[in-house]
Amino acid sequence: MTRTNLLMLFAGALITAATVPVGGHHAFGAEFDPDAPIRLQGKVVKLEWVNPHAWIHIEVDKPDGAKEVWMVEGGTPNTLLRRGLTRDTLKHGTELVVDGYQTKDHSLKRANGRDVTFTDGRKMFMGSSGTGAPRDGRDPTEKPVKPPGV
Amino acid sequence: MTRIILGIAVAACAALGAPPLLAGPEATADQAPASIAKPWTLPRTADGKPDLQGSWTNATLTPLERAENTPLSLPKDEVERREQAFRERVSRLAEDSDPDRPAPPKGGDGSTGAAGNVGGYNNFWIDPGDRIAVVNGEYRSSLLTVPASGRVPATTPEARQRAAQRLAARKGMGQYDHPELRPLAERCLMSFGSNAGPPMLPNYFYNNNYQFVQTPDALMILVEMVHDVRVVRIGENLHHSPAHIRSWMGDSIGRWEGDTLVVETTNFHPLQNFRGASEHLKVIERFTRTGPETILYKFEIDDPTTFVEKWGGEVPFNRTEDLIYEYACHEGNYALANVLSGERNREKREADKKKSQQN
């Protein structure tokens, strides 16, 4: 296959992608299995504060008493950093409740975090900057919040 | 009063030669009295050109396209209704959940869109912009202004035939069969939507931030998603690269028309086919400082081999004091591997099932 044909082939794949509305940086529908819903409850053991998406690692108890670590996918940390939240905001050992869907690769203990809350139901982070709306720099009463160390 | 409205008010006062209402965007009622306020003057670089530098955001509630039979200009009460509805939605999504909630339904949670029916993640990760766009003092129902319908024009028969040929060329290959069949954003190569563009459009999701650095012969545009950098060459009598040299964001050359920087971009990479555009795509952008807090960004899409007519729009770029962070996409891109290994794992499960049925 020539290089031109290959490019056309890949461009064709993108046509399909370009016609759907934006719903996420990565196609969660391609990554997670709708037939593998899960509910996880466990303590935070690691937080990967990375792009494109943050990953929260939690240790959960299996029915047989053994423990296993699940990775839960969130969004970009940049947005939370601008609100003054850092990876240190979520302490290791914090207990979370997560519901989502496991990756299509069932050999991985990974899932999307549709809803990540504390054990009393509160959301893990609150998306508020006073009005409840995300910051966009246009409100003169909003001052930039710089995270520690910056 | 929001910064954006204030900026427009100050700019309008400056244009009319009248004293502005307040000292500047940072002023509040209990600060500088109006009597000592200075009119806004267009900031200029050392070489006398308008200074476009700084950090900007094009996040907005205004959609790219307009609902049918809606005027371009929105009345104030409708703007308030839409912005209030957005704030209420944010509050609603921040409410507590049932801590004893079960796992979501098998077969999918019914959500629609690109994320598929497995949902996404909590709203606190999202930052799409919470205000209706304002251009020339007018609240806008769409970013598109041309054609008058505010809708992207139909594609040509040639474009549809091209799309069909592309689909036919990939017959027999699954969408998960090769990493290069995955979208550019998933591969961390380009921003999703048309954040980097050109045209540079909001993604209605998050990180709609840009940094501009300007010299007499170049404008550097850093796009937060996904840390893309475009360098616009500026000067008279510049020529585009030869037709066979193609880059992700094309080849951009700019010239000053009065106080507006006009940028023409061609030579787009074949995989960066904006809304199905062809190799003949030409994008014209116009950058004009309209106030202390605003650049008016106009764009025009010209590709007669793809669209039945030219189209374009106007997007306010508002100054942001927030920090822009590196978006080191490859650093933690588990998703691409998950997508591909997911399909291999599914194939294995199916093969194992078939095998056990045969035994």
Side-chain angles (χ1 to χ4, degrees):
Chain A
M1 189 179 275
T2 66
R3 182 161 179 78
T4 309
N5 283 345
L6 260 176
L7 282 175
M8 278 185 65
L9 177 71
F10 297 146
L14 289 174
I15 287 258
T16 320
T19 53
V20 293
V22 171
H25 176 233
H26 289 77
F28 273 22
E31 187 177 358
F32 299 104
D33 186 352
D35 290 325
I38 49 136
R39 179 191 189 277
L40 303 166
Q41 182 164 347
K43 288 180 177 166
V44 175
V45 291
K46 185 179 176 182
L47 190 55
E48 289 191 74
W49 199 246
V50 293
N51 279 304
H53 293 212
W55 286 84
I56 305 158
H57 298 233
I58 60 172
E59 188 176 72
V60 302
D61 294 325
K62 290 168 67 176
D64 63 3
K67 292 181 185 301
E68 65 185 8
V69 174
W70 278 73
M71 288 169 62
V72 177
E73 185 162 12
T76 173
N78 295 25
T79 296
L80 300 186
L81 275 168
R82 273 188 286 273
R83 294 190 198 125
L85 299 163
T86 73
R87 64 178 179 182
D88 297 324
T89 312
L90 187 63
K91 302 288 180 203
H92 283 202
T94 307
E95 192 160 1
L96 297 176
V97 177
V98 177
D99 70 71
Y101 292 91
Q102 188 180 6
T103 44
K104 287 184 173 174
D105 184 346
H106 290 186
S107 70
L108 302 171
K109 300 295 174 225
R110 296 177 185 174
N112 67 326
R114 282 176 77 251
D115 193 7
V116 183
T117 69
F118 299 116
T119 52
D120 61 1
R122 282 180 299 127
K123 294 287 189 285
M124 183 180 76
F125 293 118
M126 298 296 282
S128 168
S129 60
T131 60
R135 302 166 60 87
D136 68 357
R138 282 183 286 165
D139 181 347
T141 64
E142 282 181 348
K143 295 297 174 194
V145 179
K146 296 188 180 181
V150 174
Chain B
M1 192 184 288
T2 63
R3 270 188 188 194
I4 187 165
I5 301 170
L6 190 57
I8 286 159
V10 172
C13 289
L16 295 170
L21 304 172
L22 293 167
E26 302 298 337
T28 58
D30 58 354
Q31 290 179 325
S35 57
I36 62 164
K38 290 180 183 173
W40 176 72
T41 52
L42 175 65
R44 293 184 183 275
T45 53
D47 61 332
K49 301 300 184 196
D51 190 348
L52 302 173
Q53 298 181 100
S55 297
W56 307 93
T57 176
N58 61 2
T60 179
L61 272 181
T62 297
L64 179 67
E65 293 186 90
R66 202 176 316 151
E68 280 179 27
N69 302 318
T70 310
L72 176 62
S73 177
L74 287 173
K76 187 79 171 69
D77 59 346
E78 175 61 12
V79 172
E80 282 168 4
R81 191 193 65 76
R82 291 188 186 196
E83 292 184 348
Q84 180 61 22
F86 176 79
R87 285 192 290 272
E88 285 170 4
R89 181 171 183 274
V90 171
S91 298
R92 194 170 62 249
L93 292 170
E95 285 173 4
D96 295 355
S97 301
D98 176 5
D100 299 319
R101 62 189 182 279
K106 196 174 165 77
D109 66 358
S111 53
T112 56
N117 67 344
V118 295
Y121 35 74
N122 289 113
N123 193 59
F124 55 69
W125 298 102
I126 314 294
D127 185 13
D130 58 355
R131 306 281 166 79
I132 294 294
V134 181
V135 176
N136 299 330
E138 182 178 88
Y139 294 100
R140 290 288 172 84
S141 60
S142 67
L143 299 178
L144 252 64
T145 53
V146 178
S149 65
R151 312 282 298 175
V152 175
T155 51
T156 60
E158 180 186 345
R160 290 195 292 278
Q161 191 184 5
R162 206 166 54 229
Q165 284 171 346
R166 284 168 170 168
L167 286 175
R170 61 168 293 174
K171 202 177 171 188
M173 284 191 83
Q175 59 174 324
Y176 308 115
D177 285 357
H178 194 289
E180 293 188 20
L181 285 170
R182 303 305 303 157
L184 298 182
E186 199 169 295
R187 296 164 60 197
C188 289
L189 289 172
M190 289 298 300
S191 56
F192 66 71
S194 187
N195 234 191
M200 299 187 290
L201 303 175
N203 61 38
Y204 301 100
F205 213 58
Y206 48 52
N207 297 341
N208 290 289
N209 300 309
Y210 302 80
Q211 185 180 4
F212 293 179
V213 176
Q214 184 180 340
T215 69
D217 54 12
L219 175 69
M220 187 285 300
I221 299 174
L222 167 68
V223 189
E224 184 167 351
M225 293 285 288
V226 297
H227 214 73
D228 298 321
V229 173
R230 177 160 61 114
V231 177
V232 177
R233 293 180 285 136
I234 299 176
E236 298 297 325
N237 304 316
L238 293 175
H239 299 286
H240 284 296
S241 306
H244 66 282
I245 297 180
R246 307 237 154 211
S247 51
W248 290 124
M249 290 165 278
D251 178 46
S252 297
I253 54 179
R255 66 182 190 283
W256 290 98
E257 280 185 8
D259 285 337
T260 296
L261 180 67
V262 182
V263 177
E264 179 184 286
T265 305
T266 59
N267 296 56
F268 287 92
H269 192 282
L271 294 188
Q272 181 72 323
N273 51 354
F274 176 66
R275 290 181 172 258
S278 75
E279 64 193 270
H280 304 294
L281 172 65
K282 183 163 75 178
V283 178
I284 307 286
E285 300 161 285
R286 289 181 170 80
F287 299 79
T288 311
R289 281 295 299 264
T290 50
E293 304 293 306
T294 320
I295 291 175
L296 176 57
Y297 172 75
K298 297 185 179 182
F299 68 93
E300 181 185 299
I301 307 299
D302 182 1
D303 180 3
T305 64
T306 303
F307 304 105
V308 295
E309 59 185 322
K310 287 184 186 176
W311 57 283
E314 299 178 339
V315 187
F317 273 53
N318 298 303
R319 184 179 290 285
T320 175
E321 302 296 332
D322 280 334
L323 292 171
I324 295 177
Y325 297 99
E326 182 184 10
Y327 192 93
C329 188
H330 287 294
E331 194 170 86
N333 191 10
Y334 293 104
L336 180 60
N338 288 350
V339 166
L340 297 171
S341 78
E343 185 63 9
R344 302 292 85 77
N345 187 257
R346 190 195 61 78
E347 289 167 353
K348 183 175 181 303
R349 290 199 305 271
E350 264 185 20
D352 289 348
K353 195 174 162 189
K354 212 174 266 179
K355 212 176 193 179
S356 69
Q357 282 168 347
Q358 283 168 352
N359 294 336

